[in-house]
Amino acid sequence: MRRTWSLLFSLLLLTGCALEAPLLRLSLGQEEVRAREGETAILPARVEARGLRARLFVEGLPPGMTPPPLEVEGKEELSLAIPAREAGTWEARVVAEGGGARREAPFRLVVESASSQDLYLEGAVYVGEAEAAPQAAGVLRYCPTGCSGRPLGGGWYRAEGLQPLASRTEGLPDRPVRAQGGEAEPLFPEEWNLPLARFPEAWAEATGEGVVVAVVDTGVLPGHPDLEGALLPGLDLVDGDTDPTEPVVSPLQTFHGSHVSGILAAAWNGVGMAGASQAQVLPIRLLTPEGTGRESDLILALRWAAGIPVPGLPPNPHPAQVVNLSLSGEGPCSPALQEALDEVRARGVLVVAAAGNYGRDYRDYFPGNCRGVLTVGAVGPDGRLASYSNRSAPLLAPGGDGASGVLGPTLGGHRLLKGTSQAAPHVSGALALLRSRGVASPEALEGALLAGSRTIPEGRLLDAFAALEALEGGGVALRVEGQLVLKPGEEGSLAVEVLSPYPVPVRVAAEGGLAAYLAPNPAQGTAHLRVRAPTGTAPGAYRVRLEGGGAWATAEVQVEALPARVVLSACSEGGACRSLALPPEGGPFRLEGLSPGTYRLLAFLDRDGDGALDPEEPRGEAEARPPARGVRLLVR
């Protein structure tokens, strides 16, 4: 008799679970926002659009003060930027519409008049002659964070004309190339999922041959052409024998275990579809054709798959290096299940589990919420999180969404199914590719998957080819994106991704006297590389090398020469000074928030960009009392 405390598992098929009804919610962080005239009012809003796409907009404000509408999907915390262009008080509302539903949240906007007592000095600096220098040709653009071109101050830049790119096609080799591996299978063109996870690129480096992956599921169809030569002798924990063949009992059967096995390892034999790898499948029948099973049997299956002796079961002559669990049960990880998983992990075996198809947090479902399990959510062909997939899983893979499912074997042919059940074998197949490159620790393999994955808004998407590259770094990857451009005396920051299953100490070495450090260090996830170019650093290209966990990356730092500029300084009678920089040809200026009294203004052409007035540099002086417009300084 089997123990009575067993739990039922749910097959993670879209057709087998009831998805939640569409939901639209809207709330505001405050009922009243205030700003001064000419500023921007910030209104916090929270929107939850589940199972639909909503349009968010504001009603009840004057023209020119309404922020642009937004498209929202899922749960988002937003900050609505409202231009406070005129003084007054308005009763307005934020509206969310979608799926036939409309939600409104009222708020009050109070815009206060700018004080007439503000003290300012406004005018222009001219260099060399009394008239303003003519502007150079180009397009005026507003770039608050900086852009290419000549800075004009206040976030405005004059972008000069771009030069056309030179042809890059001359002298390239033209040797013939052809599809390799699974790309030659007849049904490969229908498998959108494999290119999305970059398996075809990875097959040139590894195929997964010789790696054993246990598929704990409903059993398999051993006579299916796509599974020919891929199956090892397995186990049946439902009927209690060594024949894991799934019986045919209903026309509604999906033959879930065969479908998962085909995604993982369908043979590249010129018939049917291509598997993600050419691993060998160790089938363990745990679930009935209806998709039910017991946690106690799952614990036995895990130990047997890893080659751990289990009383009452025959020895396993083909221990697995990877275990695929396209199943889940609701609730926390039990101590007994966690103990079995710890034993399996200690043997170097990685366990991959489906996140679940309930649109909830994956941590509400076992075994995906157990320690040491690599849990996988699902994305559709567009690379976005599938509507049914449980959220927050550490890794995402193709599982299908909408009208697009994942191709896999079934009785008499193939069919499309959707679910995190279909996403999990992609990750198991990628692990088979990695294991076939040589012996590596579970931490290194898991780190390589995370290191090679691509960042999308909902998480990290599997990239089999990049995972193979990351494995060369020991399963740790360091990523630095972009280039830092500094001037002598400036400091800047670049984001660095440290992708690893554990915090990694990172060594930082900078060229040319640059000062650089990483924070935090040791790092896991996102860290920040701070770089400073000391005063006197010669212009040129420099590198900062980062090394950790066997991986390395390089940050490129360009130090530019300090350009000529006009420096304007305004000092009060009490000695307090305000300064700003203008283009070398001068231009308009405005100094605000000044104190009453007389100000002495000095403007000079800072030819060497050092910020100090040198004897040979042109200068001009004036006096003014705020508020004042039309202040004029001539630098010569």
Side-chain angles (χ1 to χ4, degrees):
M1 294 289 293
R2 303 186 185 276
R3 289 198 287 269
T4 58
W5 52 272
S6 61
L7 288 173
L8 294 181
F9 289 99
S10 298
L11 282 183
L12 302 182
L13 302 172
L14 184 61
T15 56
C17 60
L19 303 180
E20 295 182 13
L23 175 69
L24 181 61
R25 292 176 177 168
L26 170 66
S27 61
L28 302 181
Q30 55 197 76
E31 297 180 355
E32 181 178 290
V33 287
R34 309 179 72 91
R36 295 187 64 187
E37 188 177 5
E39 296 178 346
T40 300
I42 303 300
L43 176 62
R46 177 181 298 171
V47 185
E48 184 175 2
R50 186 181 302 168
L52 53 85
R53 178 171 293 180
R55 182 172 179 267
L56 189 73
F57 55 95
V58 176
E59 293 181 343
L61 295 178
M65 292 178 60
T66 302
L70 301 173
E71 296 291 328
V72 180
E73 190 172 6
K75 183 183 290 186
E76 292 192 31
E77 302 279 350
L78 304 170
S79 295
L80 301 178
I82 303 174
R85 296 189 173 177
E86 59 182 277
T89 300
W90 290 271
E91 300 292 335
R93 57 195 168 274
V94 179
V95 180
E97 288 184 347
R102 177 184 172 96
R103 302 289 184 266
E104 298 183 1
F107 70 97
R108 177 183 295 108
L109 173 63
V110 179
V111 181
E112 301 171 349
S113 298
S115 173
S116 59
Q117 301 302 315
D118 283 350
L119 298 177
Y120 61 89
L121 293 174
E122 187 174 271
V125 176
Y126 303 101
V127 178
E129 52 186 78
E131 296 80 28
Q135 296 288 348
V139 180
L140 199 65
R141 299 196 184 282
Y142 181 64
C143 303
T145 60
C147 64
S148 60
R150 188 170 67 256
L152 302 180
W156 287 92
Y157 283 70
R158 184 166 298 282
E160 311 300 343
L162 295 176
Q163 296 299 319
L165 291 175
S167 171
R168 300 181 180 178
T169 61
E170 297 177 3
L172 293 179
D174 194 24
R175 294 173 293 179
V177 295
R178 60 179 58 88
Q180 300 293 311
E183 294 170 284
E185 297 300 294
L187 294 180
F188 176 79
E190 300 180 29
E191 297 180 86
W192 57 267
N193 45 303
L194 296 177
L196 180 62
R198 297 188 73 197
F199 277 99
E201 295 92 333
W203 292 335
E205 305 293 333
T207 64
E209 290 185 13
V211 178
V212 177
V213 180
V215 176
V216 182
D217 216 289
T218 63
V220 290
L221 295 167
H224 197 288
D226 273 322
L227 300 180
E228 182 180 351
L231 302 177
L232 293 169
L235 186 70
D236 187 339
L237 291 172
V238 178
D239 293 337
D241 56 37
T242 57
D243 181 9
T245 301
E246 179 175 354
V248 180
V249 298
S250 167
L252 300 179
Q253 274 178 260
T254 60
F255 295 93
H256 189 264
S258 295
H259 198 272
V260 168
S261 298
I263 295 171
L264 167 67
W268 301 343
N269 54 8
V271 178
M273 61 179 285
S277 74
Q278 291 299 274
Q280 292 181 291
V281 173
L282 179 68
I284 301 176
R285 185 171 177 240
L286 174 74
L287 306 175
T288 67
E290 293 77 26
T292 62
R294 307 190 304 180
E295 184 180 6
S296 57
D297 285 342
L298 174 59
I299 292 171
L300 297 178
L302 286 166
R303 289 194 170 104
W304 189 84
I308 300 172
V310 179
L313 295 181
N316 176 10
H318 305 286
Q321 289 85 46
V322 181
V323 178
N324 187 90
L325 303 176
S326 289
L327 46 79
S328 76
E330 188 170 7
C333 185
S334 69
L337 179 57
Q338 187 62 67
E339 181 182 1
L341 288 165
D342 290 343
E343 292 179 28
V344 167
R345 180 84 172 203
R347 290 210 166 201
V349 179
L350 270 168
V351 177
V352 178
N357 288 357
Y358 309 103
R360 296 169 57 183
D361 194 303
Y362 84 96
R363 286 162 286 207
D364 294 334
Y365 297 87
F366 71 91
N369 57 9
C370 295
R371 184 177 62 251
V373 173
L374 186 55
T375 310
V376 186
V379 300
D382 58 356
R384 300 299 302 272
L385 188 69
S387 57
Y388 56 81
S389 178
N390 278 355
R391 272 53 179 162
S392 304
L395 196 59
L396 304 173
D401 200 12
S404 299
V406 178
L407 190 71
T410 190
L411 184 66
H414 302 82
R415 71 179 300 176
L416 299 172
L417 294 177
K418 294 175 291 186
T420 53
S421 280
Q422 281 60 49
H426 288 86
V427 174
S428 296
L431 285 172
L433 300 185
L434 296 174
R435 283 301 293 259
S436 68
R437 292 286 293 270
V439 178
S441 68
E443 291 75 20
L445 295 172
E446 188 173 354
L449 284 180
L450 296 174
S453 59
R454 305 195 299 273
T455 301
I456 63 173
E458 300 90 351
R460 308 204 66 85
L461 177 61
L462 173 68
D463 186 323
F465 179 67
L468 284 168
E469 292 185 323
L471 186 61
E472 296 178 2
V476 176
L478 305 178
R479 288 180 176 171
V480 181
E481 294 188 1
Q483 183 189 56
L484 198 57
V485 179
L486 301 174
K487 294 180 176 64
E490 289 185 344
E491 182 175 316
S493 176
L494 284 173
V496 178
E497 284 189 295
V498 183
L499 294 170
S500 168
Y502 48 85
V504 176
V506 179
R507 296 183 299 277
V508 181
E511 297 177 345
L514 299 182
Y517 66 93
L518 189 70
N521 193 359
Q524 182 183 25
T526 301
H528 295 278
L529 176 66
R530 301 288 301 180
V531 182
R532 178 173 179 80
T535 302
T537 303
Y542 297 86
R543 293 180 180 179
V544 179
R545 184 178 174 90
L546 303 139
E547 296 182 3
W552 64 272
T554 300
E556 304 289 339
V557 181
Q558 183 70 36
V559 177
E560 296 182 338
L562 288 169
R565 57 183 178 169
V566 168
V567 176
L568 172 66
S569 176
C571 297
S572 68
E573 296 169 328
C577 297
R578 296 273 298 278
S579 297
L580 57 83
L582 298 173
E585 67 270 21
F589 68 87
R590 180 181 173 90
L591 297 170
E592 299 179 335
L594 302 177
S595 303
T598 301
Y599 278 78
R600 177 176 176 271
L601 286 82
L602 168 67
F604 65 93
L605 180 59
D606 187 16
R607 287 173 170 161
D608 57 6
D610 63 357
L613 175 60
D614 300 321
E616 71 281 3
E617 291 177 339
R619 72 197 70 187
E621 297 184 59
E623 285 190 355
R625 296 178 62 88
R629 286 192 175 93
V631 180
R632 183 172 176 270
L633 288 95
L634 179 61
V635 175
R636 57 183 177 183

